[in-house]
Amino acid sequence: MEIPKKVEYIIEELGNNGFEAFAVGGCVRDTILGRNPQDWDVTTSASPMDVKRIFKRTIDTGIQHGTVTVMLDKEGFEITTYRIDGEYEDSRHPKEVTFTTNLTEDLKRRDFTINAMAYNPKSGIVDEFGGIEDLNNKIIRCVGVAKERFMEDALRILRAVRFSAQLGFEIEAETREAAKELAPTLKKISRERIQSELSKLVVSPHPDYVKELDNLSLNENIFEDRIIINEYTLRMLLVVRNDKVLRWTALLQEESTAERAKEILRGLKFDNYTINHVSRLTKWLRTEIAPDKASVRHAINQIGEDIFALLLEAKKAFYESMPYLPVKAGVYGIEEAEKADKLKLLEDVKGLYESVIENGDCVSLKQLAVGGNDIIKAGLAKGQGIGELLEYLLDIVLDDPTENERENLLRRAKEYKEV
């Protein structure tokens, strides 16, 4: 295995001071798979205080659990002392942590065999639990007894699904059985940690593996009210571009309202940007837009210029993912000719949208040639009447952009008031 020079330096320095040290976990797994590891973690027989003594610049990122971050230039590497976890009482944290000098004891506490391998240049790969075999067979398997691993940290249940989706692996039978049995323990896990794993699953190369949320009884234990995951959800997830907002829009497309989507995302402690964009995209996903410039300008204004292009992309994936089925009672689908027509209409709308933006047509109040102060100075309205008048003028300009001139709009406003 080739490892970064800085990681090799850390391992060598610890060795020079009489300690074992290995690259461990996901970085070993990914390197074997020919993937580029995002992080390089090192495990060592040295105590946290020994690590701090050996390296000049360190940060106590989790020293009570044996983790010290070593800074080399401006890059940080987590160094964790071999440890044995004590009893778990909350499906998340061990009651106590005991440091050890035995690498195998440290590896056996890890979640899956493919994440329980270690490497250093002198010893080569240390694989005590069949990780390489499971990589070759494309299997996600717990280290040791699956129920024990999941009882230690319930989030590992969701991580099993996430890793299977990222790697295209199957979850081994005993691991599946334990995951399904212990699914209710996910209720003890923070919403933020749940959200992180779900998002990694949704933007993975196999987002359709979200079907495992139903197969393993995770859906009802993650969401207060189950989300709808059907064949149309899975189809759109596979078709739409790999973007967090678009993938979550696909996942929540079958929810009844934008408010329902917003409620789900808030429950998972998403950021306001994601909540706002996904809920609005789900709201407008099934709305038809007429292929003429005036209708497109009105649609941009109503839907929002900030998400309009994204909506067109989502709508295209929505139509493309619909199966060829005759539309009849109880069957949700679309005939092939109708599907082609919808995609052609959408392409026309996209062309009109690009033309509207390129021409700089007014599509919002901020682009209107007059504002509230102009209305007040002209003595045309005050209070709520200002907004009503501006909306009236904007409606005129959305129909015909050439109307967007200050004197013209003030004249129009005066005529409106007189009427």
Side-chain angles (χ1 to χ4, degrees):
M1 278 178 54
E2 288 189 16
I3 62 175
K5 294 295 182 185
K6 290 177 182 177
V7 176
E8 194 168 345
Y9 165 76
I10 290 169
I11 291 172
E12 188 176 319
E13 278 299 292
L14 287 165
N16 290 341
N17 283 271
F19 301 106
E20 293 180 352
F22 293 82
V24 68
C27 59
V28 178
R29 176 200 68 226
D30 287 344
T31 304
I32 292 172
L33 290 173
R35 296 155 61 99
N36 186 27
Q38 292 185 342
D39 300 296
W40 285 85
D41 295 329
V42 174
T43 188
T44 179
S45 59
S47 72
M49 297 312 295
D50 288 325
V51 174
K52 290 170 66 67
R53 175 177 55 79
I54 293 168
F55 297 98
K56 291 180 180 178
R57 295 177 59 220
T58 64
I59 302 171
D60 297 351
T61 45
I63 199 163
Q64 70 275 23
H65 294 113
T67 301
V68 174
T69 297
V70 170
M71 300 300 298
L72 298 179
D73 297 327
K74 294 183 179 180
E75 195 173 0
F77 298 87
E78 285 195 353
I79 317 298
T80 303
T81 302
Y82 300 161
R83 73 183 206 205
I84 300 171
D85 292 341
E87 183 182 354
Y88 285 75
E89 295 184 321
D90 60 357
S91 297
R92 174 65 186 102
H93 298 101
K95 189 175 179 180
E96 59 185 5
V97 169
T98 304
F99 298 141
T100 178
T101 56
N102 188 307
L103 173 63
T104 302
E105 288 296 321
D106 180 82
L107 296 177
K108 71 166 57 171
R109 70 179 176 81
R110 296 175 184 266
D111 51 8
F112 308 112
T113 59
I114 61 172
N115 295 336
M117 294 181 286
Y119 172 85
N120 74 22
K122 290 184 178 179
S123 302
I125 294 174
V126 177
D127 178 19
E128 299 282 352
F129 305 101
I132 291 177
E133 182 179 357
D134 285 343
L135 283 179
N136 290 334
N137 293 327
K138 298 186 175 182
I139 287 174
I140 304 295
R141 182 197 311 272
C142 281
V143 173
V145 180
K147 282 183 68 173
E148 292 179 4
R149 296 294 80 74
F150 291 149
M151 287 173 70
E152 290 166 354
D153 185 352
L155 190 69
R156 288 171 172 174
I157 297 169
L158 195 51
R159 281 167 61 83
V161 179
R162 188 256 288 185
F163 279 123
S164 69
Q166 286 181 326
L167 301 173
F169 286 13
E170 288 187 14
I171 302 174
E172 175 266 339
E174 182 191 338
T175 303
R176 288 184 67 85
E177 186 179 333
K180 190 169 185 178
E181 181 182 341
L182 295 173
T185 58
L186 277 167
K187 293 177 180 178
K188 299 179 182 180
I189 302 301
S190 74
R191 299 296 88 187
E192 291 86 352
R193 296 182 73 218
I194 294 280
Q195 177 227 111
S196 176
E197 291 299 325
L198 282 176
S199 288
K200 290 173 184 175
L201 165 58
V202 167
V203 299
S204 72
H206 301 277
D208 55 318
Y209 282 32
V210 296
K211 62 191 175 187
E212 293 285 31
L213 299 186
D214 280 338
N215 296 339
L216 298 176
S217 301
L218 307 183
N219 198 329
E220 56 267 39
N221 290 294
I222 290 174
F223 302 99
E224 192 168 329
D225 294 310
R226 291 167 52 92
I227 64 170
I228 301 168
I229 300 175
N230 57 26
E231 64 173 293
Y232 311 110
T233 306
L234 303 180
R235 283 172 178 267
M236 187 172 170
L237 279 167
L238 286 170
V239 170
V240 78
R241 176 168 61 90
N242 188 358
D243 170 84
K244 180 180 174 181
V245 166
L246 288 173
R247 288 276 177 90
W248 271 97
T249 300
L251 180 60
L252 300 180
Q253 61 158 301
E254 294 292 331
E255 301 307 319
S256 54
T257 64
E259 280 305 312
R260 165 67 176 149
K262 192 177 290 186
E263 176 189 318
I264 291 166
L265 296 168
R266 279 178 178 159
L268 289 170
K269 308 296 184 185
F270 267 99
D271 58 279
N272 289 333
Y273 176 91
T274 304
I275 294 171
N276 176 281
H277 280 57
V278 173
S279 60
R280 288 163 64 203
L281 289 174
T282 56
K283 175 181 179 179
W284 298 106
L285 186 61
R286 290 172 169 79
T287 301
E288 299 287 353
I289 302 169
D292 64 82
K293 274 196 172 182
S295 296
V296 169
R297 283 191 292 266
H298 278 277
I300 295 170
N301 171 253
Q302 189 176 22
I303 293 164
E305 188 178 351
D306 60 327
I307 67 163
F308 196 81
L310 212 55
L311 176 65
L312 296 182
E313 193 174 352
K315 286 173 74 66
K316 183 179 180 184
F318 176 69
Y319 290 141
E320 287 178 341
S321 63
M322 291 183 75
Y324 297 145
L325 292 173
V327 179
K328 58 185 180 181
V331 177
Y332 179 43
I334 191 168
E335 292 181 338
E336 188 169 355
E338 184 185 355
K339 183 174 182 175
D341 288 344
K342 285 183 178 294
L343 287 169
K344 172 63 170 61
L345 181 147
L346 192 64
E347 197 60 33
D348 292 343
V349 169
K350 182 182 177 184
L352 292 168
Y353 162 72
E354 290 170 349
S355 176
V356 165
I357 298 304
E358 185 178 341
N359 293 339
D361 291 356
C362 173
V363 293
S364 65
L365 285 172
K366 67 182 181 181
Q367 294 173 290
L368 206 58
V370 296
N373 287 334
D374 297 309
I375 298 297
I376 294 169
K377 286 178 182 178
L380 295 170
K382 59 182 178 179
Q384 290 184 337
I386 298 171
E388 181 185 333
L389 194 50
L390 288 174
E391 288 290 348
Y392 167 74
L393 296 175
L394 177 61
D395 205 45
I396 292 172
V397 172
L398 291 173
D399 284 336
D400 182 2
T402 63
E403 296 271 7
N404 194 26
E405 294 180 357
R406 184 177 181 278
E407 294 306 319
N408 175 58
L409 292 179
L410 288 174
R411 178 180 59 79
R412 286 278 207 161
K414 186 175 180 181
E415 291 173 353
Y416 177 76
K417 184 182 178 185
E418 289 173 355
V419 171

